[in-house]
Amino acid sequence: MTYNPCLLVMQPREITECLDSIKECFDIPTVYFKAFSEPMVCREMSKYIRENDYTHYIIVGDDHITTKPAAQCILDHTEDSRYEVFTGWMNMHLEENGFMSQNSTVSFGPLVQISDPTGPTREEYGKWEPMQIIRGLPAEPFRTAYANFALTGATKELWERFPLSTHTRGNSSDHQLSFRLQQAGVKVWSHPSAFIKHLRRGWRPLLDKWLVGNVPSEIIETNRRWGKREDYAR
């Protein structure tokens, strides 16, 4: 089967530098889910996956800076059937001085059963690995506990087995997915080269240029096609 991926972008904000980095680094069909709440975007993305026939879907948020090496790495490994789920990774957040946090979004797990059915406490997310540890790993895929929507790719069939959903409090969809994958024995992989910069400040969601509730929700398809395989990441 010909590899035919599609990028799905969760876009509750209008952060130009983030959106521009996606356009610069990817030349595949890209769909923006603009101004949806987290529960709504989970439902709409899962519906889109069911109703369309791309071979693979890569899901990403809109508060990061994508790079061409990360895009190339994600696209290459998402196509490789040895990796059921392949994801990028990020700095956890930016500090007040603008420097990247010491912790990454990589956890070697395993994830624990949460104590409150509405969602995990911060401690229940597990131990986050230091940035310097992940940057120092060999240039090869490694296991991680989190499919954290930092360019998280899988086949259409896998996304249909594990449709996106939040915990009942209406957030933490990455944790909710990752725990279900772990329970089913599905392995999540990443790579040191799959790093993208996270712009969140501290632990709270980045609310800059917030669209949800301020503009109508919409799904914006860009029907770009890629021909020669080597052209899928510019």
Side-chain angles (χ1 to χ4, degrees):
M1 181 181 294
T2 301
Y3 183 42
N4 185 26
C6 178
L7 182 66
L8 306 182
V9 183
M10 297 176 171
Q11 194 202 337
R13 292 158 284 242
E14 188 76 30
I15 306 176
T16 302
E17 60 180 322
C18 298
L19 298 173
D20 286 349
S21 75
I22 292 171
K23 294 174 184 176
E24 180 182 352
C25 295
F26 285 95
D27 192 17
I28 63 174
T30 302
V31 185
Y32 298 87
F33 291 77
K34 184 175 180 178
F36 288 97
S37 67
E38 190 169 346
M40 290 172 61
V41 79
C42 288
R43 290 194 295 270
E44 291 299 325
M45 281 191 171
S46 294
K47 180 174 182 286
Y48 189 89
I49 290 169
R50 289 195 309 271
E51 295 178 352
N52 290 274
D53 293 320
Y54 295 101
T55 61
H56 297 71
Y57 293 87
I58 299 168
I59 297 178
V60 69
D62 69 343
D63 60 348
H64 69 277
I65 303 295
T66 300
T67 67
K68 291 180 181 180
Q72 186 79 44
C73 182
I74 295 294
L75 285 163
D76 284 346
H77 289 87
T78 295
E79 181 182 18
D80 192 327
S81 61
R82 291 177 295 175
Y83 309 111
E84 291 180 276
V85 178
F86 199 87
T87 189
W89 63 282
M90 305 180 288
N91 52 300
M92 182 60 67
H93 55 257
L94 296 179
E95 304 290 359
E96 291 302 318
N97 59 12
F99 293 151
M100 287 187 283
S101 60
Q102 293 186 3
N103 285 343
S104 72
T105 58
V106 173
S107 175
F108 294 142
L111 304 181
V112 301
Q113 180 69 51
I114 61 176
S115 56
D116 182 347
T118 65
T121 64
R122 186 178 299 176
E123 292 73 23
E124 288 170 336
Y125 274 90
K127 178 182 179 294
W128 303 111
E129 295 301 319
M131 293 279 292
Q132 62 180 4
I133 294 296
I134 306 306
R135 290 190 184 279
L137 291 176
E140 61 189 29
F142 62 83
R143 291 278 307 281
T144 177
Y146 273 95
N148 57 7
F149 306 143
L151 298 171
T152 299
T155 62
K156 171 183 171 71
E157 291 75 20
L158 189 135
W159 287 120
E160 289 181 320
R161 282 177 60 200
F162 299 94
L164 301 180
S165 180
T166 65
H167 287 288
T168 57
R169 69 186 180 199
N171 59 16
S172 303
S173 52
D174 55 350
H175 179 278
Q176 211 265 4
L177 171 65
S178 300
F179 190 76
R180 283 186 289 142
L181 293 173
Q182 176 180 282
Q183 293 297 92
V186 176
K187 297 176 181 178
V188 181
W189 298 83
S190 192
H191 192 287
S193 296
F195 172 76
I196 60 177
K197 183 180 179 181
H198 200 187
L199 299 186
R200 186 178 69 184
R201 295 275 180 165
W203 288 95
R204 297 182 62 82
L206 184 64
L207 298 179
D208 292 13
K209 301 180 181 178
W210 193 252
L211 301 176
V212 181
N214 295 316
V215 300
S217 302
E218 59 179 327
I219 297 172
I220 304 169
E221 295 181 286
T222 62
N223 295 315
R224 292 173 293 176
R225 302 292 178 184
W226 51 289
K228 293 187 298 182
R229 186 189 185 289
E230 58 269 27
D231 288 342
Y232 63 62
R234 293 184 291 189

